[in-house]
Amino acid sequence: MDDRAKRIRRNSPGGKADAAKVDLTAVVVAVSNNEPCVLTIGQTDTLPSGPLALEHRSLQSGLRTWVEEQTGHPLGYIEQLYTFADRDRAGAELEQRVISISYLALTRKEHATAPSKSSWQSWYDYFPWEDHRAGTPPMVSNLLRPRLIEWADGAYDDATRLERRRRAAIAFGFDDRPWNEDLTLKRYELLYEAALVEEAMRGSTLPPPVRGKSMVSDHRRILGTGISRLRSKIKYRPVVFELMPPAFTLLQLQRTVEALAGRLIHKPNFRRLIEQHELVEETGETSTETGGWPAKLYRFRHAVLEEGEVAGAKLPLSRA
């Protein structure tokens, strides 16, 4: 054993060497055919990830290397999400602390440069209660509400029962409360706490009470973190244009925002907001893909980023 290993072992509780593994994990998002998609690898619904290595110049360069190697997708826009280091994450059974530094990445499907074993999955396959574009999903009132009330009423004291009911009402819009699309992560964590999703029942022979695909380890929680971040951010920063082709119609832009938010947008107000903040400019060309009259094509006006005009703008999401 070299001197460095001896020092680590000597300074660790119980004389055991600290074993911490640092992973870089990516929530890579694209929108295709009005459906928000997340990039997964293998056959087990896994987010692209890999260990931080000495040869990686930085965290971001390590992430870009792993994602491109595993999926063939070079990354453009990325931002750090959160560092997951809970003691009960995967690896705890090996007495190893597993730390995941997660990132949100925005891309387009056509940016793939090489064949890979990756695939695109609708994020609503993992969070089916989050898509409210056609109204509140029946599962929210028919399944989630009674199961969450049952969980709340199973508490040992009145204060906890009331607190659980209040949290469920805020998260899922019960008792005439408004639905807040930004609370994706809080909703998932509440369902996990109530043991209503598969990840909370691993090791059990019972089927999960709530429909929705699970992911390895806590990758669905990481994905939920990315969805919450993106839904919040599209309301005040023009990151949605990272997901758009170079030229697009205003209807295509609206449908992309609706897909991400899981909510419908008031069309006249949306177009008024786009014009007010001068987010786009005409290309001088038109498209007939809408099936009706030729629609004007627009492109993102990059000067907006320098002008800082978007900060504070709110998307006119429908509350119907």
Side-chain angles (χ1 to χ4, degrees):
M1 181 183 299
D2 61 25
D3 290 341
R4 181 175 178 275
K6 289 178 181 178
R7 286 196 300 271
I8 293 175
R9 183 175 294 275
R10 191 163 50 241
N11 294 332
S12 300
K16 293 183 179 180
D18 289 330
K21 176 186 177 185
V22 178
D23 277 342
L24 305 172
T25 305
V27 177
V28 184
V29 175
V31 176
S32 178
N33 297 321
N34 302 328
E35 199 68 23
C37 301
V38 61
L39 193 58
T40 63
I41 59 175
Q43 304 296 320
T44 54
D45 294 292
T46 304
L47 297 174
S49 63
L52 177 65
L54 288 175
E55 61 266 24
H56 293 149
R57 179 176 51 83
S58 65
L59 294 173
Q60 288 196 9
S61 67
L63 182 84
R64 293 178 186 277
T65 297
W66 280 118
V67 172
E68 187 162 0
E69 179 180 307
Q70 294 174 352
T71 71
H73 276 264
L75 296 182
Y77 176 92
I78 65 173
E79 66 173 77
Q80 190 169 334
L81 278 175
Y82 190 75
T83 298
F84 295 83
D86 295 352
R87 187 171 56 187
D88 58 352
R89 300 186 72 241
E93 69 278 3
L94 303 177
E95 297 185 356
Q96 181 183 50
R97 178 63 64 97
V98 181
I99 300 172
S100 286
I101 303 174
S102 61
Y103 285 82
L104 172 66
L106 307 181
T107 188
R108 295 196 297 274
K109 279 190 175 183
E110 62 268 24
H111 281 176
T113 58
S116 68
K117 296 181 180 179
S118 63
S119 61
W120 290 98
Q121 308 289 335
S122 169
W123 74 28
Y124 294 125
D125 289 344
Y126 304 101
F127 300 92
W129 53 85
E130 291 291 330
D131 189 359
H132 287 234
R133 287 174 291 177
T136 302
M139 71 179 302
V140 172
S141 57
N142 297 341
L143 176 61
L144 297 182
R145 181 183 174 89
R147 295 304 296 264
L148 285 170
I149 290 177
E150 179 184 359
W151 166 72
D153 291 346
Y156 290 109
D157 58 86
D158 291 340
T160 303
R161 281 193 287 273
L162 290 174
E163 177 63 13
R164 286 182 175 183
R165 279 192 172 236
R166 185 189 69 84
R167 290 167 57 205
I170 292 173
F172 285 93
F174 300 152
D175 304 331
D176 296 323
R177 293 177 183 264
W179 172 266
N180 185 342
E181 59 280 347
D182 298 350
L183 300 182
T184 301
L185 178 61
K186 288 187 179 297
R187 283 186 282 271
Y188 172 75
E189 290 182 334
L190 189 66
L191 294 175
Y192 185 97
E193 184 181 345
L196 296 178
V197 292
E198 184 174 336
E199 287 89 338
M201 302 180 63
R202 283 174 176 157
S204 171
T205 58
L206 298 175
V210 175
R211 179 173 58 87
K213 292 174 65 177
S214 66
M215 303 186 82
V216 300
S217 184
D218 56 357
H219 281 201
R220 186 151 57 149
R221 183 186 176 201
I222 297 175
L223 173 57
T225 304
I227 295 173
S228 289
R229 172 73 64 85
L230 185 54
R231 283 181 165 185
S232 174
K233 197 150 193 174
I234 59 175
K235 296 175 183 177
Y236 63 89
R237 297 300 299 169
V239 294
V240 66
F241 294 101
E242 300 287 344
L243 301 167
M244 302 300 298
F248 49 84
T249 67
L250 291 183
L251 181 61
Q252 289 172 330
L253 178 61
Q254 178 182 333
R255 292 288 184 253
T256 297
V257 173
E258 289 175 338
L260 297 171
R263 300 286 295 274
L264 296 182
I265 292 177
H266 189 269
K267 182 176 179 179
N269 288 351
F270 176 74
R271 299 201 173 195
R272 191 176 303 117
L273 180 145
I274 296 298
E275 294 173 358
Q276 176 183 347
H277 292 278
E278 299 181 322
L279 298 178
V280 299
E281 57 189 8
E282 295 183 15
T283 66
E285 301 177 346
T286 60
S287 171
T288 58
E289 293 181 6
T290 57
W293 291 100
K296 291 181 180 180
L297 286 173
Y298 295 81
R299 57 175 167 254
F300 175 53
R301 195 173 69 86
H302 288 275
V304 168
L305 299 176
E306 300 175 1
E307 298 165 359
E309 290 289 336
V310 188
K314 288 288 186 179
L315 292 176
L317 295 174
S318 171
R319 297 294 167 186

